[in-house]
Amino acid sequence: MLSWGTYYRERPHVESDLTVRATEALSRAGQSWAKVTVTGREAVITGRARKDGEPKAALDAVRSVWGIRTVQLKTDLAGVAAAPERIGPPGPSPEEVAAAAAQKAREEAEAAAAQKAREEAEAAAALKAKEDAEAAAALKAKEDAEAAAEAEAAAAQKAKEEAEAAVALKAKEDAEAASAVKATEEAEAAAAQRAREQTEDAIKAQQEAEAAQKAEEEAQAAARRKAEEEAAAQQKAKDEAEAAAALKAQQEAEAARKAREEAEAAERKAKEEAEAAAAREAEALAAQKAKQEADMAAEAKADAEAQAAAEARARKTTAETEACERRLMAATAEGVILFSRASADIDRKSSTTIARLAEIIKACPGARVEVEGHTDSEGTDERNQRLSERRARAVVNSLARAGVAGDRLSAVGYGAGRPVASNDTPEGMARNRRIEFKVFTD
């Protein structure tokens, strides 16, 4: 049951809802001439009726609306104003007016005190509900953080073995973003649901409150003959007890809030320390991997340069081999040798160029051809080295299928180590992704 304080906060919405439903009831009853206004739960009908029975029909239509307590007619017919008609129990007799006035003053004072106590109790209940919600949210956030930490640890271990250390940080950020979005959506949905429930329960709350008030008034009427001194003493004791209860509730709420803030601060500190430790470990792993890759690239480059120097010393070139090499490079420049991205698969569009290259090589008897693969600088050195070797081998295999003897062909990859243009622009990177030919004789 909602309190009086809640009802009065929702009163504008209740009055608007009752007005709309009463207007719809008049329209359904065919009494569109009548206008209705609602104050609290009391309705007033105004307007000019066309027939004698229409005011009564409008009255019945509005009385049928659930939630309206009383209805007054302030209509006229053929220019004659109708006396207001009150629906409900008759008013008090003149003999009871004086006693009722005195009793009303006492009841208003008691009602004001009771209202204040109810509002203070509602404030304490609202604060407790807020604290419970915050505690639940903190617990959920902690559980989400623990789950995210476990996921981050697993991702970091996998990144250590297979990928770069940055994958762990990205996984953690994605998990936190998803958790924040989910928490926001759930909070918004809960707020919308509470708003709908408050609107629906507002009328019911007023009815229950009025019933309670009526019962209280009847009990007071039965006890009216008691001495005023006893009533005053009881009221004072009640006020003191409520004040003590409100003070205790406030103190407990303050202590709970302080404990919650301390727990949140401790949780934030622990989370920051865990994130810092994870970041340091990721940096160390990245540095170690970068050093290993640099060492491997340096060793591979030294080996390749030594091998190239040895082969150059063993190779011989003649005017015929140089002419053959020039024809091969011209055919490559005029045609295309295309690969799928980050792959050694030759595109079908390259078949014409491959066939032309095979014809040139077969027209150079006694010459050996070395196919060189080159890449741009995108990616790691190790990956680029492997890709260049695979692409050179793919061209050799295609030439062999085109009729060139396999013992006349060899493949070598240089990765991104021999650029012919800057890798700072897309155009330069495209020029560096190439296949070249070296022709020599034993």
Side-chain angles (χ1 to χ4, degrees):
M1 184 179 83
L2 300 179
S3 65
W4 274 98
T6 303
Y7 166 72
Y8 280 110
R9 286 195 298 270
E10 296 296 328
R11 178 172 175 171
H13 302 292
V14 174
E15 292 176 345
S16 175
D17 178 67
L18 291 176
T19 300
V20 169
R21 291 195 286 116
T23 302
E24 293 174 350
L26 288 170
S27 178
R28 288 193 299 269
Q31 305 301 322
S32 301
W33 59 270
K35 307 297 180 182
V36 61
T37 57
V38 179
T39 302
R41 291 176 55 205
E42 297 181 355
V44 177
I45 301 175
T46 59
R48 180 183 296 273
R50 294 165 297 184
K51 301 177 182 179
D52 290 341
E54 287 184 339
K56 182 62 169 62
L59 178 67
D60 293 339
V62 175
R63 290 181 61 188
S64 67
V65 176
W66 183 85
I68 292 182
R69 182 176 58 186
T70 62
V71 184
Q72 286 188 352
L73 280 174
K74 294 186 178 181
T75 61
D76 54 41
L77 180 65
V80 179
E85 179 181 354
R86 180 176 181 84
I87 305 302
S93 62
E95 292 80 4
E96 296 176 343
V97 171
Q103 178 62 22
K104 182 177 180 182
R106 288 193 298 272
E107 291 173 355
E108 289 177 349
E110 292 173 354
Q115 176 66 21
K116 180 178 179 181
R118 283 193 294 269
E119 291 176 352
E120 291 175 349
E122 290 170 4
L127 180 59
K128 185 176 185 303
K130 179 180 178 183
E131 291 170 354
D132 292 343
E134 291 174 349
L139 178 58
K140 186 176 185 302
K142 181 178 179 182
E143 292 174 351
D144 292 343
E146 291 174 352
E150 292 176 359
E152 290 168 11
Q157 180 63 26
K158 184 176 179 181
K160 179 179 179 182
E161 298 171 355
E162 299 176 356
E164 298 178 352
V167 174
L169 179 59
K170 184 175 185 302
K172 176 183 175 183
E173 292 173 346
D174 291 344
E176 291 177 348
S179 177
V181 169
K182 181 178 180 182
T184 301
E185 292 174 350
E186 291 176 349
E188 292 174 349
Q193 181 63 27
R194 286 195 300 272
R196 289 192 297 269
E197 292 174 351
Q198 289 177 353
T199 302
E200 294 173 355
D201 293 342
I203 295 176
K204 183 178 179 181
Q206 185 191 12
Q207 290 176 331
E208 293 174 346
E210 289 173 349
Q213 183 180 11
K214 182 178 180 180
E216 183 180 355
E217 291 173 354
E218 291 174 353
Q220 290 173 354
R224 193 175 301 164
R225 291 181 298 273
K226 292 184 179 181
E228 293 183 359
E229 292 80 1
E230 181 180 354
Q234 291 176 351
Q235 183 61 39
K236 182 178 180 181
K238 181 180 178 182
D239 292 342
E240 291 175 351
E242 290 175 349
L247 178 60
K248 182 178 179 181
Q250 182 178 3
Q251 292 172 345
E252 290 176 350
E254 181 64 23
R257 183 188 62 79
K258 184 176 180 181
R260 185 177 63 256
E261 291 176 351
E262 292 175 352
E264 291 174 352
E267 183 179 351
R268 286 194 300 271
K269 182 177 179 182
K271 182 178 179 182
E272 291 171 356
E273 291 175 352
E275 291 175 351
R280 287 194 297 271
E281 182 179 355
E283 291 174 358
L285 291 174
Q288 182 180 1
K289 184 175 180 181
K291 184 177 183 302
Q292 291 174 351
E293 292 177 350
D295 292 342
M296 292 174 62
E299 292 176 1
K301 183 176 181 182
D303 293 342
E305 291 176 351
Q307 182 181 358
E311 292 177 353
R313 288 193 297 270
R315 296 173 180 175
K316 296 179 182 180
T317 59
T318 64
E320 289 79 7
T321 61
E322 292 176 355
C324 184
E325 183 175 312
R326 286 194 296 272
R327 289 197 299 275
L328 290 173
M329 297 307 294
T332 304
E334 292 172 359
V336 291
I337 300 179
L338 301 176
F339 297 91
S340 299
R341 178 174 176 80
S343 169
D345 296 333
I346 300 178
D347 191 276
R348 293 181 178 179
K349 297 179 181 178
S350 307
S351 59
T352 301
T353 303
I354 295 294
R356 175 59 181 156
L357 293 171
E359 292 176 359
I360 294 173
I361 296 173
K362 286 187 285 186
C364 300
R368 294 181 59 191
V369 179
E370 181 181 81
V371 181
E372 297 180 351
H374 301 269
T375 68
D376 56 30
S377 62
E378 182 179 3
T380 64
D381 292 341
E382 181 182 358
R383 170 187 169 279
N384 288 332
Q385 178 63 33
R386 291 197 304 268
L387 181 60
S388 66
E389 293 173 355
R390 287 164 45 218
R391 286 182 171 178
R393 174 55 57 188
V395 174
V396 166
N397 293 338
S398 296
L399 292 172
R401 286 193 295 271
V404 180
D407 57 359
R408 298 181 59 192
L409 302 171
S410 61
V412 63
Y414 293 103
R418 295 184 179 185
V420 295
S422 172
N423 281 303
D424 294 335
T425 64
E427 294 79 8
M429 295 176 72
R431 290 183 59 195
N432 289 331
R433 297 190 296 269
R434 68 194 188 280
I435 294 293
E436 293 184 346
F437 299 90
K438 297 296 181 185
V439 183
F440 56 92
T441 183
D442 293 334

